[in-house]
Every structure is written in C-alpha cells, then in structure tokens.
Amino acid sequence: MVKKVILDVDTGTDDAIALMIAALSPDLELVGATTVIGNVPCVVCTENTLRVFDHIGIQAPVHQGMVEPMVRPDFDRPEVSVIHGRFLPLPETNRKATSLKGVDWLIDTFMASDGDITLVPVGPLTNVAMALRKCPELVNKIPEMVIMGGAHHYGNRSASAEFNIWVDPEAAKVVVNSGVPIRMVPLDATHQALTSLDDCAKFREIGTPAAVAAASFAEQRIKGYNATQPMKIKDTTPVHDALAVCAVIDPSVIKTEFIHVDVETKGELTDGRTVCDFAKRSGKEPNVHFAMGVDSPKFKAMMFDILSRTT
Ligand code: BDR
Ligand code: CA
C-alpha cells in the first residue's frame, strides 16, 4: 500500500536527497513539504526545496514555516554551511512557496485527512511543535512521526546534542512528549550508514537527474565532513535525512528500541541532548522507538534503486 507522507525540511544537502527519495519512491505519495529554519535561513531552505522539486519534475506544494526557533532568538544561525553550502547547486526556481504558512498548512492538512499521513520531520522541530501547540487535536490525526534527530553516544553540534534538536530544544521537548507515536533516527544510526566517494561514482553512473544530483550533494557533504568532523571511514558522509525516509518505506532498515526519551532544555553543557532511558531508571513509559542500529547495505540499495527512477 502506498503511504502518504509530508516532509518537514531545512534543505540542506541531505534533506535534498531525502526529498528526492520521498518523491520518487513508488511506495510513497509525497503530499507536500514544509520548510523550517535550520541548516540555512528558512527562505533559503524554501528556495532549495523548490529547486529540488523542479530538478526532478515534482509539483508537490512547498509551504514556508517558522523562520526562528520557538523561544531562542539568540540561536547561532548558520548563513553558509560547509556541509550544505547555501543555495543548492541547481537552477533557480520560478515557483514560489504557497501563501499558506507552513504551520497552518500542517494543521489544515492533517485535520482534513483520514489520519493516514506520516509526518517526517528532518529539520528542527519548530513547525511541528507550533502546530501541536496551536491545534492539540492534531495528536489524533498523525499516525506516526519518523524524525531525524537526536543522539545518544555523541552529538554533532555540541558534545551532547544533535543539530536538529539543539536548534530548538523546547520544540523537540513538546514533540517527544506529545503522545504521537514516534520513531527517531538519531546520529547513532545515521553514522553507521555512510555514503562513500565510490557510492557517488555509482550515482553518477546511474545517470538519472536524481542520482546525479545526489552524487553532487554527497560529494559536497564528504568535503564538509572531511573538513569539520571526519568519519571513521575516510571520504564518507552520513546522509541522515534520507535514512529517515527509507525507514518509512521499509522499517527493517533501522533497528529500534522502545524507550523513554526527553530533551534537555536547561543544561549548561547539555542543552538539546536527547536523554535516553535505556536502563529504565526514570520510571516513565516509553515514548520513542529510538534507532541504535541500521542495515547499511539495505539503505544503500534503496537509495540506488529509488534514485534511478524518473517522474
Ligand atoms: C541533521 O542536521 C542537519 O544538518 C541535517 O540536515 C540533518 O537533518 C543531522 O544532525
Ligand atoms: Ca535536515
């Protein structure tokens, strides 16, 4: 059965690959995308998302969301990132984001749905938390969220925090405590499924617009990771957000544990940490299926297969 999905993105090189997978997978129907502050300013995320859709000939609507985190105006915003650049290296779009604001579109679309749309947030959780705050009944209309975010063993924005959660910890706290069923794809999983320069060569050999674009995004990421946070295997990169979308298509691509997760919002050193109760010490009920494992060959095979498709 084809699954309906909405992606909430801060596009971004790995968001771009995730969007192409969601748009081209025969197992998914991409209802639309919302954009949020994150890797680059929100207006740039919107332009980048539209560029990706134009590049592969997708008409799905794009709705611009929150341009600031919920409560932290002092967020140290990246204007240009070594891993994402600023604008993706694709032609400028002629399309515009729809005039309906991202948060309102999420509310209207889920409330009008049959409760059959999976939400896939792969950026900071500001839009999702705002929507849940504005419309608490939304909880009963979202069957599942598959979130790229969080980290148990090590962070990437700080020693403890993963970037998406670190940008807006208050929003992440609202979301994980919302009661919506959640699968979370943290760094612990994404860093075990690395894309290499050889994989990029294979994307180029496949030769479709999606695969060639994926090659150039992944090559840019590899340069950025080599320069800032080299992976254990030289010349490789995680493609975090793509793994979350693949986990919607085939849940067996990740291995999860059902645990209680909360988010640190007051830590001096640990702001934005996803606090994972693996040892069941909090006495709190599990709320998140947290991925600590990944089937890396399956993930790669899915990317090669899906990105070899055209619209
Ligand atoms: C996450 O942060 C962003 O930079 C990526 O797009 C991904 O969603 C990884 O920490
Ligand atoms: Ca992202």
Side-chain angles (χ1 to χ4, degrees):
M1 211 179 81
V2 172
K3 263 195 187 174
K4 292 182 186 170
V5 289
I6 289 174
L7 263 62
D8 185 59
V9 290
D10 60 331
T11 318
T13 44
D14 58 331
D15 306 72
I17 297 175
L19 283 162
M20 294 193 292
I21 291 173
L24 294 171
S25 167
D27 297 313
L28 299 182
E29 177 191 333
L30 179 59
V31 176
T34 45
T35 58
V36 67
I37 173 73
N39 287 319
V40 282
C42 189
V43 45
V44 181
C45 298
T46 305
E47 165 72 19
N48 282 343
T49 305
L50 288 163
R51 286 186 186 190
V52 170
F53 283 178
D54 285 357
H55 180 68
I56 55 170
I58 289 286
Q59 289 303 317
V62 177
H63 308 268
Q64 185 161 295
M66 299 295 294
V67 301
E68 299 278 349
M70 261 180 20
V71 297
R72 299 194 188 217
D74 57 344
F75 159 60
D76 166 21
R77 63 206 60 229
E79 288 295 328
V80 182
S81 140
V82 273
I83 292 169
H84 302 280
R86 185 170 166 87
F87 289 106
L88 292 175
L90 293 173
E92 255 177 65
T93 187
N94 294 319
R95 287 173 68 197
K96 295 258 170 298
T98 58
S99 56
L100 192 58
K101 294 278 187 303
V103 171
D104 293 331
W105 181 77
L106 285 174
I107 294 171
D108 292 355
T109 307
F110 277 101
M111 291 311 288
S113 75
D114 295 329
D116 59 347
I117 307 173
T118 301
L119 181 56
V120 191
V122 295
L125 289 161
T126 319
N127 287 339
V128 183
M130 291 295 286
L132 288 164
R133 279 269 168 94
K134 252 181 126 168
C135 177
E137 308 86 73
L138 211 53
V139 169
N140 305 314
K141 286 290 199 171
I142 307 177
E144 187 184 32
M145 283 188 220
V146 181
I147 297 173
M148 190 285 128
H152 178 59
H153 284 310
Y154 44 79
N156 61 357
R157 183 53 184 78
S158 73
S160 322
E162 180 278 329
F163 178 81
N164 288 342
I165 308 297
W166 175 88
V167 169
D168 197 342
E170 285 77 12
K173 196 174 185 71
V174 169
V175 172
V176 298
N177 289 300
S178 65
V180 175
I182 292 175
R183 272 190 293 153
M184 198 169 234
V185 181
L187 299 183
D188 307 82
T190 63
H191 282 210
Q192 293 178 51
L194 300 173
T195 294
S196 65
L197 285 176
D198 283 350
D199 297 326
C200 293
K202 189 152 176 201
F203 280 133
R204 287 198 186 280
E205 205 181 295
I206 290 171
T208 54
V212 173
S216 78
F217 301 151
E219 283 158 2
Q220 181 172 342
R221 293 181 63 76
I222 289 170
K223 267 194 210 140
Y225 270 88
N226 281 348
T228 59
Q229 39 177 320
M231 295 287 103
K232 280 187 191 137
I233 306 170
K234 194 175 163 0
D235 290 332
T236 62
T237 176
V239 190
H240 313 278
D241 298 348
L243 182 59
V245 175
C246 285
V248 179
I249 299 167
D250 182 348
S252 73
V253 77
I254 53 172
K255 290 178 190 60
T256 59
E257 282 188 52
F258 195 32
I259 56 166
H260 187 266
V261 176
D262 210 331
V263 176
E264 180 58 84
T265 56
K266 297 190 175 77
E268 186 188 345
L269 304 172
T270 54
D271 251 3
R273 178 171 179 79
T274 41
V275 179
C276 298
D277 188 12
F278 285 105
K280 300 192 169 47
R281 303 302 300 155
S282 66
K284 294 187 178 153
E285 289 300 313
N287 57 345
V288 170
H289 295 267
F290 195 85
M292 292 296 283
V294 61
D295 184 337
S296 181
K298 185 178 278 184
F299 172 53
K300 279 193 199 181
M302 289 177 80
M303 287 204 293
F304 290 136
D305 175 39
I306 296 166
L307 295 174
S308 69
R309 294 173 173 268
T310 50
T311 47

